[in-house]
């Protein structure tokens, strides 16, 4: 399995959720759920990587290691300027006796070494699925405070707490349950976003990850959702009580935002995996990859506030500097030769071409099909073939990504080895999938129902030079 080039993967061993995302001291810090000792889930600890630009990552020594009787589950980091340059981490202590509670650690050296709090755990309800603390800032100009979101995962509830000093926490409110039963709720976040760019008309968007549980769990596995609403510093009130799909692929989970991102932007990273088959994904010596970062926005689409997820600036920059080619698709498929690490933008007018079919194939006996039939208002994304079937019976998949058929369409495909992310237009929809196209080049065949033109911009992402190849970073401190 080729290692991704412009996505973070650990040098070795298992990784799941992003944790402790924070921008601090000019660096983007990414901590992550990590087994430092093996390629399966276990010994959960916080691994650590940093990036100056969200594209090139350097891995550092484990930041918070599991210890006897306690694993370090997901959580967050905030940068507080009050009282010095301190980073504070909140994570779930998952004790061997089965109970889960929230703990705290601080770093005085910019996030490289951490001291746990002697008072840990600092929030303990004596329950077994109380986890994933995400601390956010709330400032209405009168009562600035920190708000912590956690889940009681089995109850499908988000619990909100407030603090002014990051030490003492007071329960504010509880949100949920809502939506389908038969899942646990995990990794909540709450993000303030201006609607249609109007800072005076902001909404709060709750991000949630859900994972099927029980005797007959949904074979589609893990997925992410969002709820748009209002938050007054105490309670989150949804505009409509429904969970909306956040990513339309099979491999996007546990995404949360960075604290203190420049310009107050809401930047997320997610885990490109699915609990249904993550343990079976054949990559080595690493297992688990992060998504591209995304910049969140909120735009009115068909009368309702809709989450926008735009690819990061470096992706846009690469594409604007590349030349577009027009590919005439006449009576047989047009073939494009691509490397396996490439950004491809496609533009076409469904009114002229009718159905567009793009098939990706590489060295492995597997394929990815993207089919846009204008009348369906969606793009069907299928991954299949013997190599996909061999991963896990539930790995082959077909999902639908909203894509209107009545106007010129634009798609961005980011393919980085086994990671395929599809963005519609400016980020009106996104779909992330692990794919098995094999090592080496990939051929894209474009076929249209009627003769027409597809505008293609393709940018290869070069292999990192030795200077920034993923190699062990020197231990710090
Ligand atoms: C989500 C999750 C979290 C938990 C962590 C454990 O993928 O199950 O709820 O904290 O992973 O690794």
């Amino acid at each position: 399995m080729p290692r991704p080039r412009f996505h973070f993967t650990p040098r070795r061993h298992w990784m799941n959720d992003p944790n402790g995302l924070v921008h601090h001291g000019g660096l983007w810090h990414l901590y992550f759920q990590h087994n430092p000792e093996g390629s399966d889930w276990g010994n959960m600890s916080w691994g650590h990587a940093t990036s100056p630009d969200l594209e090139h990552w350097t891995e550092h020594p484990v930041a918070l290691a599991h210890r006897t009787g306690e694993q370090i589950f997901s959580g967050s980091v905030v940068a507080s300027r009050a009282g010095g340059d301190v980073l504070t981490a909140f994570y779930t202590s998952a004790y061997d006796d089965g109970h889960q509670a929230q703990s705290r650690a601080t770093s005085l050296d910019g996030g490289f070494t951490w001291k746990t709090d002697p008072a840990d755990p600092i929030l303990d309800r004596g329950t077994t699925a109380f986890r994933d603390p995400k601390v956010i800032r709330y400032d209405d100009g009168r009562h600035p405070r920190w708000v912590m979101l956690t889940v009681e995962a089995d109850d499908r509830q988000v619990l909100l707490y407030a603090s002014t000093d990051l030490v003492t926490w007071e329960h504010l409110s509880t949100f949920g349950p809502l939506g389908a039963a038969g899942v646990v709720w995990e990794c909540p976040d709450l993000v303030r976003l201006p609607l249609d760019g109007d800072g005076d008309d902001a909404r709060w968007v709750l991000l949630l990850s859900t994972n099927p549980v029980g005797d007959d769990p949904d074979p589609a596995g893990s997925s992410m959702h969002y709820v748009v609403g209002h938050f007054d510093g105490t309670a989150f009130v949804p505009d409509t009580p429904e969970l909306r799909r956040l990513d339309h692929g099979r491999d996007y989970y546990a995404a949360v935002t960075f604290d203190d991102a420049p310009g107050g932007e809401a930047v997320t990273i997610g885990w490109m995996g699915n609990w249904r088959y993550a343990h079976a994904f054949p990559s080595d010596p690493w297992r688990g990859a992060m998504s591209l970062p995304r910049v969140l926005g909120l735009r009115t689409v068909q009368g309702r506030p809709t989450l926008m997820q735009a690819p990061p600036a470096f992706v846009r920059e690469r594409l604007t500097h590349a030349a577009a080619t027009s590919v005439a698709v006449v009576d047989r498929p047009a073939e494009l030769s691509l490397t396996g690490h490439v950004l491809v933008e496609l533009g076409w007018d469904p009114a002229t071409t009718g159905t567009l079919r793009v098939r990706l194939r590489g060295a492995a006996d597997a394929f990815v099909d993207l089919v846009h039939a204008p009348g369906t208002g969606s793009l069907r994304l299928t991954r299949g073939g013997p190599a996909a079937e061999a991963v896990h019976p539930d790995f082959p998949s077909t999902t639908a990504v909203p894509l209107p058929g009545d106007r010129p369409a634009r798609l961005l495909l980011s393919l980085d080895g086994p990671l395929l992310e599809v963005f519609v237009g400016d980020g009106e929809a996104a779909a992330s999938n692990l794919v098995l196209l094999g090592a080496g080049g990939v051929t894209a065949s474009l076929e249209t129902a009627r003769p027409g033109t597809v505008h293609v911009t393709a940018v290869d992402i070069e292999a990192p030079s030795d200077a920034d190849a993923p190699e062990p970073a020197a231990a710090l401190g």
Side-chain angles (χ1 to χ4, degrees), residues 16-17 33 41 44 73-74 131-132 186-187 253 275:
N16 55 287
D17 312 357
Q33 285 289 280
W41 187 91
M44 295 319 289
F73 276 15
S74 287
R131 59 178 181 263
D132 304 344
E186 300 185 313
C187 301
Y253 202 65
W275 284 116

Side-chain angles (χ1 to χ4, degrees), residues 15 35 62 79 116 137 147 186 194 223 243 270 361 385 428 435:
M15 173 174 81
N35 179 353
V62 165
T116 53
R137 296 152 192 267
V147 173
E186 300 185 313
S223 56
L243 302 182
R361 273 194 170 282
E428 293 91 310
V435 295

Side-chain angles (χ1 to χ4, degrees), residues 185-357:
W185 281 14
E186 300 185 313
C187 301
D189 196 356
L190 188 57
V191 191
R192 184 178 186 273
L193 296 172
L195 178 59
D196 299 318
D198 177 359
D200 294 332
D201 186 12
R203 298 296 148 84
W204 287 82
V205 180
L206 180 72
L207 310 182
L208 264 185
S209 293
T210 70
N211 191 43
V213 289
D215 292 339
D216 187 18
D218 180 352
S222 331
S223 56
M224 275 201 74
H225 309 269
Y226 71 97
V227 187
V228 180
H230 289 82
F231 179 57
D232 61 0
T234 302
F236 174 73
V237 181
D239 288 351
T240 50
E242 59 169 333
L243 302 182
R244 291 159 68 186
R245 185 91 186 194
L246 182 138
D247 185 284
H248 301 272
R250 283 283 164 83
D251 298 291
Y252 193 77
Y253 202 65
V256 284
T257 53
F258 280 87
D259 180 53
D260 220 13
E265 280 198 320
V267 181
T268 54
I269 287 186
W271 169 48
M272 280 192 70
N274 188 320
W275 284 116
R276 186 78 183 178
Y277 47 69
H279 58 281
F281 197 68
S283 61
D284 181 57
W286 54 280
R287 189 183 274 151
M290 291 304 171
S291 71
L292 280 176
R294 297 179 182 177
V295 183
L296 303 186
L298 205 57
R299 188 193 282 175
T300 305
V301 178
Q302 290 170 342
R304 54 180 196 164
T306 301
L307 191 65
M308 305 285 294
Q309 300 176 82
F314 79 84
V315 166
R316 285 258 64 90
E317 278 156 24
R318 297 288 177 102
L319 285 163
T320 25
H321 290 116
T325 21
S326 296
V327 179
V329 187
V330 190
D331 44 11
R332 59 195 158 96
E335 304 231 310
L336 304 174
S337 291
L338 306 168
T339 69
H341 304 269
V342 65
L343 301 168
V344 186
E345 193 154 51
L346 301 175
W348 76 102
D349 186 356
T352 312
T353 61
T355 296
L356 169 73
R357 178 186 296 271

